[in-house]
Amino acid sequence: MKLSLSSLAILAVTFKSSLAAVTSDFVNFVELDVTNMKIAPDGFLRNTVLANGRYPNPPIVAFKGQKLVVKVNNQLTDTNMRVSTSLNLDGVFTSAANAYNEGSPFVTTCPIAPGNSYTYTHDLGSQTGTFWYHSDLSVQYVDGFRGPLIIYDLNDPHRSLYDIDDLSTIIQFGDWWHNASIPMLLGYQATGVVPISDSGTVNGVGRYNGGPAVPWSVVNVVSGKRYRMRLINESARNVFTISIDKHRMTIIEADGVATQPLTVDVLEMLAGQRYSVVVKADQPVANYWLNAPFVGGVASRNPNQNATLSRAILRYKGAPIADPTTPMTSGPTDGVALVEANLRPLVPETPPQPDLTLSFDLQVVAGKAIWNVNNVSYVAPKDPTLLKVLAGPVDASTFDVTENTFVLPINKTVQIEFPPTDDDDAHPFHLHGNNFWLIKSLSGPDDNEVNPIRRDIAGVGGSGTKIRFRTDNPGPWFFHCHIYWHRAAGLATVLLQDPDDSRVEVQPTQAWQDLCPM
């Protein structure tokens, strides 16, 4: 992997040294070879889809304002999994003119055929924080194509709160599956039963019932130091509940947006969500459990699953190389749990009142792998939505009903309301192209129209959710459930902002135009 600035990132962010040498003029070039490889993250050997032979895939690091260039070489051959692929930078806002590099198959692009390459270019603009990258084709990232993306801010407003922020403080949580994605997807389509993961991994390591005692992942700390830990839920379904024995966590970022510091003992993370937390190494030198139990379907349907085995070790320098002596638990039972509705942006912002309000009703067809938004199950078209936009003027009638595409006017404020449901499921809905104000969180009963947080993934369903965003980024942007089995079953829409302006701004390359024929 060619990470021209990874060492600079560690030095600059950790030590704040030699900053004069770091500017946003650098082009950060990354090359990912996507191949099939047999690995055993939880002790069970299986073939996978990996970038540069690692799970999780190697970190991509960049600085605020840089241009990030990622070349993907598709070398896949195993047809038990998808052999085409596509890259999405989850949470990074692709500009209108660059929509063709956004990486959503059959929305903004076609995937990369096996034996071919494509280079994605992104101007990162003012975005900073914790993100991740993954295949956005079907449920392919279940097979392993997923990894962290960190955009550092050399003028981070929270810099005084921590001492260390480097590659060692990235903590990735994922669900792991012993079967390949295509057979599992076919089984889901035949039965309507969503696959249950075999284990959970922390930084690529996990265990399952009856499996080998794979050594735990270790997060090393030094007594007295404060660590910015970047937590990423890279799962395709599972909800992780994170805590560290005898240590508190101060949240300072949610999905790439700085928040007012909020100290908790435990936090829940839906699929795709990210948080930065500051953890003080202020306990006696020892080993402590980092707890990451998860839920994701009825565990009894998969006897391999034991959520208690989803964990890692926080190890102080000077502690023995050994497991903690305390019991494995699911975390504190009397601590302060994160209430998402209590998060506040670091810079207060009052969202404008909506010009347009949409209601999205989510429904599942009993016993079938079919999910609907407003009675429509999304089916990806043969030709990408963006290609249709570029072909000429469009309106709602241009698109098949199953494309579930909403044409939105430019520079308006749109509110989407998800009515309450009878179940307590939280579908993590993710917006491409923009983030949104979370007006009504599942975690609280009240609307917040004064200073709600902005993020790009929030749970919907249950007690009801309201989000609000500006249509200030022309283009077709996917809006979907981040439980990718649900997305594959149709729980998705396309929010097409100002197609006329998008058609004017987008000037795709010949390489992009060649993707569909290939």
Side-chain angles (χ1 to χ4, degrees):
M1 185 178 196
K2 302 170 184 176
L3 283 176
S4 58
L5 293 177
S6 60
S7 57
L8 264 179
I10 299 171
L11 289 172
V13 177
T14 305
F15 304 111
K16 293 288 280 184
S17 62
S18 304
L19 298 189
V22 182
T23 76
S24 61
D25 294 333
F26 281 110
V27 174
N28 193 358
F29 179 77
V30 176
E31 188 163 6
L32 301 177
D33 293 328
V34 181
T35 61
N36 297 121
M37 180 177 291
K38 289 187 176 181
I39 61 171
D42 62 0
F44 181 90
L45 186 67
R46 58 155 292 192
N47 210 16
T48 62
V49 174
L50 301 181
N52 294 2
R54 290 172 55 181
Y55 173 75
N57 300 171
I60 296 176
V61 299
F63 289 102
K64 177 181 178 179
Q66 279 192 310
K67 177 177 285 188
L68 178 62
V69 179
V70 185
K71 183 180 181 182
V72 175
N73 302 312
N74 183 355
Q75 301 168 3
L76 298 173
T77 58
D78 187 344
T79 54
N80 284 313
M81 300 167 281
R82 298 299 292 264
V83 291
S84 292
T85 195
S86 188
L87 178 71
N88 178 250
L89 308 185
D90 212 277
V92 173
F93 309 147
T94 309
S95 67
N98 196 43
Y100 63 94
N101 273 320
E102 195 264 344
S104 294
F106 309 108
V107 179
T108 57
T109 189
C110 277
I112 307 166
N116 291 276
S117 300
Y118 185 76
T119 300
Y120 301 86
T121 300
H122 295 272
D123 289 311
L124 299 178
S126 61
Q127 281 193 275
T128 63
T130 306
F131 306 90
W132 63 301
Y133 66 93
H134 60 81
S135 167
D136 217 24
L137 179 63
S138 184
V139 292
Q140 188 181 55
Y141 83 75
V142 164
D143 295 310
F145 187 2
R146 40 185 162 168
L149 166 63
I150 310 300
I151 307 175
Y152 291 105
D153 183 358
L154 300 182
N155 297 303
D156 177 16
H158 283 312
R159 185 62 186 85
S160 64
L161 300 182
Y162 57 87
D163 305 302
I164 308 294
D165 176 25
D166 59 24
L167 300 186
S168 74
T169 63
I170 303 171
I171 305 179
Q172 302 164 81
F173 307 93
D175 39 20
W176 192 249
W177 319 74
H178 292 174
N179 295 320
S181 59
I182 287 182
M184 286 195 292
L185 183 58
L186 291 174
Y188 173 39
Q189 291 168 339
T191 65
V193 178
V194 180
I196 307 293
S197 71
D198 293 279
S199 61
T201 62
V202 182
N203 282 345
V205 176
R207 292 185 184 181
Y208 65 95
N209 277 335
V214 178
W216 306 109
S217 177
V218 175
V219 179
N220 293 294
V221 297
V222 175
S223 183
K225 296 293 186 180
R226 303 166 301 168
Y227 293 82
R228 178 176 182 162
M229 295 186 177
R230 297 175 181 268
L231 314 180
I232 310 173
N233 184 353
E234 297 176 358
S235 72
R237 181 179 188 183
N238 290 357
V239 180
F240 286 86
T241 301
I242 313 302
S243 64
I244 306 173
D245 286 358
K246 296 187 177 181
H247 293 75
R248 309 200 77 193
M249 300 176 288
T250 300
I251 299 169
I252 59 172
E253 175 216 348
D255 294 356
V257 178
T259 66
Q260 294 180 19
L262 179 66
T263 300
V264 300
D265 299 292
V266 59
L267 62 85
E268 182 180 88
M269 299 183 69
L270 304 181
Q273 288 187 327
R274 297 92 61 202
Y275 289 101
S276 279
V277 300
V278 175
V279 176
K280 297 178 182 179
D282 57 2
Q283 296 299 307
V285 171
N287 293 292
Y288 298 88
W289 288 121
L290 189 162
N291 310 297
F294 60 87
V295 294
V298 180
S300 61
R301 288 179 174 162
N302 188 340
N304 287 336
Q305 189 179 107
N306 183 344
T308 306
L309 298 178
S310 179
R311 60 185 54 250
I313 296 174
L314 183 78
R315 176 169 293 153
Y316 279 67
K317 184 177 181 180
I321 307 301
D323 288 359
T325 57
T326 53
M328 296 182 190
T329 71
S330 295
T333 58
D334 57 353
V336 176
L338 168 64
V339 177
E340 183 186 45
N342 291 341
L343 289 171
R344 297 289 179 266
L346 181 63
V347 179
E349 183 180 30
T350 299
Q353 290 299 303
D355 302 300
L356 175 65
T357 298
L358 303 174
S359 179
F360 279 9
D361 184 27
L362 312 184
Q363 297 175 331
V364 63
V365 178
K368 296 185 179 181
I370 299 174
W371 275 94
N372 295 328
V373 178
N374 293 352
N375 294 314
V376 176
S377 183
Y378 176 83
V379 178
K382 179 181 177 181
D383 296 320
T385 306
L386 182 59
L387 196 62
K388 295 180 181 180
V389 170
L390 295 177
V394 300
D395 57 26
S397 66
T398 305
F399 307 98
D400 293 340
V401 171
T402 53
E403 294 178 66
N404 220 2
T405 298
F406 295 79
V407 180
L408 304 175
I410 189 64
N411 290 328
K412 300 295 182 181
T413 301
V414 177
Q415 180 156 300
I416 298 180
E417 300 179 353
F418 294 85
T421 60
D422 294 333
D423 57 56
D424 294 326
D425 286 344
H427 296 276
F429 256 68
H430 172 50
L431 178 60
H432 293 221
N434 302 76
N435 59 16
F436 49 77
W437 291 283
L438 185 56
I439 303 297
K440 161 69 173 65
S441 167
L442 273 181
S443 64
D446 301 321
D447 290 3
N448 178 359
E449 299 191 81
V450 178
N451 57 351
I453 59 165
R454 295 186 78 158
R455 64 185 318 166
D456 56 66
I457 299 182
V460 307
S463 64
T465 306
K466 297 177 185 177
I467 69 168
R468 194 178 296 175
F469 63 95
R470 292 285 295 170
T471 58
D472 53 8
N473 191 24
W477 308 120
F478 219 13
F479 184 45
H480 61 84
C481 182
H482 224 298
I483 297 174
Y484 263 47
W485 305 104
H486 290 174
R487 196 191 81 158
L491 200 53
T493 68
V494 175
L495 304 182
L496 175 54
Q497 299 182 27
D498 189 20
D500 291 336
D501 198 39
S502 180
R503 185 170 59 258
V504 171
E505 292 200 38
V506 174
Q507 301 293 327
T509 62
Q510 186 61 48
W512 179 84
Q513 295 180 38
D514 290 341
L515 287 173
C516 289
M518 285 191 294

